[in-house]
Amino acid sequence: MYGSYGHRGGGRGGRWMPPPYPPRPPRGGYRPPPQPRAHHAPQPPHGHDHTSRDFYEETCGNDQILKVAGSSKPKSLAGAIAKRMREGGTVKLIALGPASVNQAVKALAIARSFLAEDGQVDLTVLPEFIHVPVGKEREKEERSAIRFTVLRRPYPKDGKVPPRDPSTVELKVSQTSQSRSTAGALAKRIREGQKCVIVGIGGGSVNQAVKSVAIANSYLADDYLEINFKPKFIHVDLGEEQKSAVEMTILYNQL
């Protein structure tokens, strides 16, 4: 016991006081109390401008490059595409994997609907295969991806999109379709001067359709022809139910 003045002793009437020296530190030295960790929002890779929560944007010369993920929101992406088209610029989308390709095509179809409200500008899309590095710095590997070059086109002067020509050939693609077979059939009809559309239901089908267009361009290179497409949403009757699908109207240019 310590007395009323902090000295040992004190007797019955003594009042307890804290010891005059600091408490002994725990074994192993002084350990400060744990501090709460600061949580920082994830930052985009160096050199990128993260303009949205679900896709990355960067500028390369006069091109605006949008990197699309499988979780990207099509409407958010479509707004960025439409804005660039109205400004007269060029947009390129890079998609790695079927889910990303599907989101990119849906965004392009929605962007066309946004532009149709103005009645001034439309767009077409040129898909092609590229290789992109994936992984950490020391473990990078190249994987195949799709690059969509979005081209600015004038809207019809009368403000009306013409209906599909009855003679148009419709190619239906499923997720199990062979891209090279579809590409061969498409290239054959383009050489014959026929009008074509490709219809796909579901993300896997849309991915196969895009790959078919990209492969068909390699088949048509010797003919000095290049094809691109205009995507839009349609409804397809499947028995007693109706499903949403993507229709790609094929256009071709003489190089």
Side-chain angles (χ1 to χ4, degrees), residues 83-103:
K83 180 177 182 293
R84 187 68 172 177
M85 290 290 101
R86 292 186 182 104
E87 294 171 350
T90 303
V91 183
K92 293 183 178 181
L93 279 65
I94 297 177
L96 178 64
S100 301
V101 170
N102 182 48
Q103 296 302 85

PDB file of all heavy atoms in Angstrom, residues 83-103:
ATOM      1  N   LYS A  83     -21.337  10.550 -77.083  1.00  0.00           N
ATOM      2  CA  LYS A  83     -20.739  11.878 -76.868  1.00  0.00           C
ATOM      3  C   LYS A  83     -19.586  12.106 -77.840  1.00  0.00           C
ATOM      4  O   LYS A  83     -19.464  13.176 -78.448  1.00  0.00           O
ATOM      5  CB  LYS A  83     -20.256  12.001 -75.429  1.00  0.00           C
ATOM      6  CG  LYS A  83     -19.605  13.335 -75.077  1.00  0.00           C
ATOM      7  CD  LYS A  83     -19.243  13.369 -73.601  1.00  0.00           C
ATOM      8  CE  LYS A  83     -18.627  14.711 -73.208  1.00  0.00           C
ATOM      9  NZ  LYS A  83     -17.305  14.913 -73.843  1.00  0.00           N
ATOM     10  N   ARG A  84     -18.749  11.090 -77.982  1.00  0.00           N
ATOM     11  CA  ARG A  84     -17.599  11.214 -78.885  1.00  0.00           C
ATOM     12  C   ARG A  84     -18.042  11.331 -80.333  1.00  0.00           C
ATOM     13  O   ARG A  84     -17.457  12.090 -81.119  1.00  0.00           O
ATOM     14  CB  ARG A  84     -16.698   9.991 -78.712  1.00  0.00           C
ATOM     15  CG  ARG A  84     -15.384  10.073 -79.473  1.00  0.00           C
ATOM     16  CD  ARG A  84     -14.485  11.141 -78.908  1.00  0.00           C
ATOM     17  NE  ARG A  84     -13.167  11.078 -79.531  1.00  0.00           N
ATOM     18  CZ  ARG A  84     -12.181  11.931 -79.288  1.00  0.00           C
ATOM     19  NH1 ARG A  84     -12.376  12.910 -78.411  1.00  0.00           N
ATOM     20  NH2 ARG A  84     -11.020  11.811 -79.888  1.00  0.00           N
ATOM     21  N   MET A  85     -19.085  10.594 -80.718  1.00  0.00           N
ATOM     22  CA  MET A  85     -19.588  10.669 -82.084  1.00  0.00           C
ATOM     23  C   MET A  85     -20.151  12.057 -82.397  1.00  0.00           C
ATOM     24  O   MET A  85     -19.949  12.597 -83.479  1.00  0.00           O
ATOM     25  CB  MET A  85     -20.676   9.612 -82.306  1.00  0.00           C
ATOM     26  CG  MET A  85     -20.174   8.174 -82.330  1.00  0.00           C
ATOM     27  SD  MET A  85     -19.189   7.746 -83.789  1.00  0.00           S
ATOM     28  CE  MET A  85     -17.528   7.859 -83.101  1.00  0.00           C
ATOM     29  N   ARG A  86     -20.844  12.638 -81.436  1.00  0.00           N
ATOM     30  CA  ARG A  86     -21.399  13.979 -81.645  1.00  0.00           C
ATOM     31  C   ARG A  86     -20.285  15.015 -81.806  1.00  0.00           C
ATOM     32  O   ARG A  86     -20.444  16.006 -82.517  1.00  0.00           O
ATOM     33  CB  ARG A  86     -22.294  14.367 -80.473  1.00  0.00           C
ATOM     34  CG  ARG A  86     -23.584  13.558 -80.354  1.00  0.00           C
ATOM     35  CD  ARG A  86     -24.474  14.100 -79.260  1.00  0.00           C
ATOM     36  NE  ARG A  86     -25.684  13.319 -79.080  1.00  0.00           N
ATOM     37  CZ  ARG A  86     -25.881  12.466 -78.081  1.00  0.00           C
ATOM     38  NH1 ARG A  86     -24.933  12.302 -77.156  1.00  0.00           N
ATOM     39  NH2 ARG A  86     -26.996  11.782 -77.993  1.00  0.00           N
ATOM     40  N   GLU A  87     -19.170  14.779 -81.118  1.00  0.00           N
ATOM     41  CA  GLU A  87     -18.031  15.711 -81.187  1.00  0.00           C
ATOM     42  C   GLU A  87     -17.208  15.530 -82.457  1.00  0.00           C
ATOM     43  O   GLU A  87     -16.306  16.322 -82.723  1.00  0.00           O
ATOM     44  CB  GLU A  87     -17.138  15.521 -79.965  1.00  0.00           C
ATOM     45  CG  GLU A  87     -17.805  15.907 -78.652  1.00  0.00           C
ATOM     46  CD  GLU A  87     -16.975  15.512 -77.443  1.00  0.00           C
ATOM     47  OE1 GLU A  87     -15.973  14.772 -77.626  1.00  0.00           O
ATOM     48  OE2 GLU A  87     -17.303  15.938 -76.316  1.00  0.00           O
ATOM     49  N   GLY A  88     -17.499  14.478 -83.216  1.00  0.00           N
ATOM     50  CA  GLY A  88     -16.767  14.259 -84.459  1.00  0.00           C
ATOM     51  C   GLY A  88     -15.493  13.462 -84.291  1.00  0.00           C
ATOM     52  O   GLY A  88     -14.670  13.409 -85.212  1.00  0.00           O
ATOM     53  N   GLY A  89     -15.293  12.834 -83.160  1.00  0.00           N
ATOM     54  CA  GLY A  89     -14.077  12.075 -82.913  1.00  0.00           C
ATOM     55  C   GLY A  89     -14.219  10.611 -83.282  1.00  0.00           C
ATOM     56  O   GLY A  89     -15.239  10.164 -83.806  1.00  0.00           O
ATOM     57  N   THR A  90     -13.157   9.862 -83.007  1.00  0.00           N
ATOM     58  CA  THR A  90     -13.116   8.434 -83.285  1.00  0.00           C
ATOM     59  C   THR A  90     -13.037   7.672 -81.974  1.00  0.00           C
ATOM     60  O   THR A  90     -12.334   8.078 -81.052  1.00  0.00           O
ATOM     61  CB  THR A  90     -11.898   8.079 -84.160  1.00  0.00           C
ATOM     62  OG1 THR A  90     -11.945   8.842 -85.363  1.00  0.00           O
ATOM     63  CG2 THR A  90     -11.897   6.597 -84.513  1.00  0.00           C
ATOM     64  N   VAL A  91     -13.755   6.573 -81.895  1.00  0.00           N
ATOM     65  CA  VAL A  91     -13.762   5.739 -80.693  1.00  0.00           C
ATOM     66  C   VAL A  91     -13.320   4.330 -81.056  1.00  0.00           C
ATOM     67  O   VAL A  91     -13.719   3.793 -82.093  1.00  0.00           O
ATOM     68  CB  VAL A  91     -15.162   5.684 -80.045  1.00  0.00           C
ATOM     69  CG1 VAL A  91     -15.126   4.870 -78.756  1.00  0.00           C
ATOM     70  CG2 VAL A  91     -15.688   7.072 -79.769  1.00  0.00           C
ATOM     71  N   LYS A  92     -12.511   3.738 -80.192  1.00  0.00           N
ATOM     72  CA  LYS A  92     -12.134   2.337 -80.330  1.00  0.00           C
ATOM     73  C   LYS A  92     -12.398   1.631 -79.013  1.00  0.00           C
ATOM     74  O   LYS A  92     -11.999   2.121 -77.960  1.00  0.00           O
ATOM     75  CB  LYS A  92     -10.660   2.196 -80.727  1.00  0.00           C
ATOM     76  CG  LYS A  92     -10.372   2.719 -82.132  1.00  0.00           C
ATOM     77  CD  LYS A  92      -8.921   2.507 -82.531  1.00  0.00           C
ATOM     78  CE  LYS A  92      -8.683   3.003 -83.954  1.00  0.00           C
ATOM     79  NZ  LYS A  92      -7.284   2.795 -84.390  1.00  0.00           N
ATOM     80  N   LEU A  93     -13.085   0.496 -79.096  1.00  0.00           N
ATOM     81  CA  LEU A  93     -13.380  -0.305 -77.920  1.00  0.00           C
ATOM     82  C   LEU A  93     -12.513  -1.561 -77.960  1.00  0.00           C
ATOM     83  O   LEU A  93     -12.361  -2.171 -79.028  1.00  0.00           O
ATOM     84  CB  LEU A  93     -14.856  -0.709 -77.877  1.00  0.00           C
ATOM     85  CG  LEU A  93     -15.876   0.312 -77.356  1.00  0.00           C
ATOM     86  CD1 LEU A  93     -15.959   1.523 -78.262  1.00  0.00           C
ATOM     87  CD2 LEU A  93     -17.259  -0.339 -77.259  1.00  0.00           C
ATOM     88  N   ILE A  94     -11.976  -1.937 -76.822  1.00  0.00           N
ATOM     89  CA  ILE A  94     -11.189  -3.165 -76.721  1.00  0.00           C
ATOM     90  C   ILE A  94     -11.893  -4.086 -75.732  1.00  0.00           C
ATOM     91  O   ILE A  94     -12.143  -3.708 -74.588  1.00  0.00           O
ATOM     92  CB  ILE A  94      -9.749  -2.879 -76.278  1.00  0.00           C
ATOM     93  CG1 ILE A  94      -9.039  -2.020 -77.341  1.00  0.00           C
ATOM     94  CG2 ILE A  94      -8.989  -4.176 -76.045  1.00  0.00           C
ATOM     95  CD1 ILE A  94      -7.630  -1.627 -76.973  1.00  0.00           C
ATOM     96  N   ALA A  95     -12.211  -5.295 -76.199  1.00  0.00           N
ATOM     97  CA  ALA A  95     -12.940  -6.259 -75.373  1.00  0.00           C
ATOM     98  C   ALA A  95     -12.191  -7.583 -75.371  1.00  0.00           C
ATOM     99  O   ALA A  95     -11.840  -8.110 -76.432  1.00  0.00           O
ATOM    100  CB  ALA A  95     -14.358  -6.454 -75.904  1.00  0.00           C
ATOM    101  N   LEU A  96     -11.967  -8.114 -74.185  1.00  0.00           N
ATOM    102  CA  LEU A  96     -11.250  -9.372 -74.009  1.00  0.00           C
ATOM    103  C   LEU A  96     -12.204 -10.404 -73.416  1.00  0.00           C
ATOM    104  O   LEU A  96     -12.634 -10.272 -72.279  1.00  0.00           O
ATOM    105  CB  LEU A  96     -10.049  -9.165 -73.081  1.00  0.00           C
ATOM    106  CG  LEU A  96      -9.204 -10.388 -72.746  1.00  0.00           C
ATOM    107  CD1 LEU A  96      -8.538 -10.938 -73.997  1.00  0.00           C
ATOM    108  CD2 LEU A  96      -8.144 -10.028 -71.711  1.00  0.00           C
ATOM    109  N   GLY A  97     -12.584 -11.399 -74.207  1.00  0.00           N
ATOM    110  CA  GLY A  97     -13.478 -12.437 -73.722  1.00  0.00           C
ATOM    111  C   GLY A  97     -14.921 -12.245 -74.189  1.00  0.00           C
ATOM    112  O   GLY A  97     -15.340 -11.120 -74.487  1.00  0.00           O
ATOM    113  N   PRO A  98     -15.693 -13.321 -74.257  1.00  0.00           N
ATOM    114  CA  PRO A  98     -17.077 -13.257 -74.752  1.00  0.00           C
ATOM    115  C   PRO A  98     -17.974 -12.283 -73.991  1.00  0.00           C
ATOM    116  O   PRO A  98     -18.766 -11.571 -74.602  1.00  0.00           O
ATOM    117  CB  PRO A  98     -17.572 -14.703 -74.590  1.00  0.00           C
ATOM    118  CG  PRO A  98     -16.338 -15.542 -74.619  1.00  0.00           C
ATOM    119  CD  PRO A  98     -15.285 -14.714 -73.963  1.00  0.00           C
ATOM    120  N   ALA A  99     -17.861 -12.248 -72.656  1.00  0.00           N
ATOM    121  CA  ALA A  99     -18.722 -11.353 -71.875  1.00  0.00           C
ATOM    122  C   ALA A  99     -18.434  -9.895 -72.205  1.00  0.00           C
ATOM    123  O   ALA A  99     -19.361  -9.078 -72.333  1.00  0.00           O
ATOM    124  CB  ALA A  99     -18.518 -11.606 -70.380  1.00  0.00           C
ATOM    125  N   SER A 100     -17.168  -9.542 -72.361  1.00  0.00           N
ATOM    126  CA  SER A 100     -16.801  -8.171 -72.694  1.00  0.00           C
ATOM    127  C   SER A 100     -17.265  -7.802 -74.101  1.00  0.00           C
ATOM    128  O   SER A 100     -17.740  -6.682 -74.340  1.00  0.00           O
ATOM    129  CB  SER A 100     -15.284  -7.996 -72.586  1.00  0.00           C
ATOM    130  OG  SER A 100     -14.831  -8.300 -71.293  1.00  0.00           O
ATOM    131  N   VAL A 101     -17.116  -8.737 -75.034  1.00  0.00           N
ATOM    132  CA  VAL A 101     -17.565  -8.489 -76.411  1.00  0.00           C
ATOM    133  C   VAL A 101     -19.073  -8.242 -76.435  1.00  0.00           C
ATOM    134  O   VAL A 101     -19.563  -7.332 -77.111  1.00  0.00           O
ATOM    135  CB  VAL A 101     -17.184  -9.676 -77.314  1.00  0.00           C
ATOM    136  CG1 VAL A 101     -17.857  -9.545 -78.688  1.00  0.00           C
ATOM    137  CG2 VAL A 101     -15.674  -9.760 -77.477  1.00  0.00           C
ATOM    138  N   ASN A 102     -19.812  -9.040 -75.698  1.00  0.00           N
ATOM    139  CA  ASN A 102     -21.267  -8.881 -75.643  1.00  0.00           C
ATOM    140  C   ASN A 102     -21.650  -7.518 -75.084  1.00  0.00           C
ATOM    141  O   ASN A 102     -22.536  -6.839 -75.628  1.00  0.00           O
ATOM    142  CB  ASN A 102     -21.870  -9.993 -74.792  1.00  0.00           C
ATOM    143  CG  ASN A 102     -23.377  -9.930 -74.732  1.00  0.00           C
ATOM    144  OD1 ASN A 102     -24.046  -9.785 -75.750  1.00  0.00           O
ATOM    145  ND2 ASN A 102     -23.930 -10.043 -73.533  1.00  0.00           N
ATOM    146  N   GLN A 103     -20.988  -7.096 -74.002  1.00  0.00           N
ATOM    147  CA  GLN A 103     -21.296  -5.788 -73.412  1.00  0.00           C
ATOM    148  C   GLN A 103     -20.944  -4.654 -74.374  1.00  0.00           C
ATOM    149  O   GLN A 103     -21.655  -3.647 -74.446  1.00  0.00           O
ATOM    150  CB  GLN A 103     -20.533  -5.616 -72.096  1.00  0.00           C
ATOM    151  CG  GLN A 103     -20.928  -6.594 -70.992  1.00  0.00           C
ATOM    152  CD  GLN A 103     -22.385  -6.541 -70.624  1.00  0.00           C
ATOM    153  OE1 GLN A 103     -23.216  -7.195 -71.265  1.00  0.00           O
ATOM    154  NE2 GLN A 103     -22.721  -5.778 -69.606  1.00  0.00           N
TER     155      GLN A 103
END
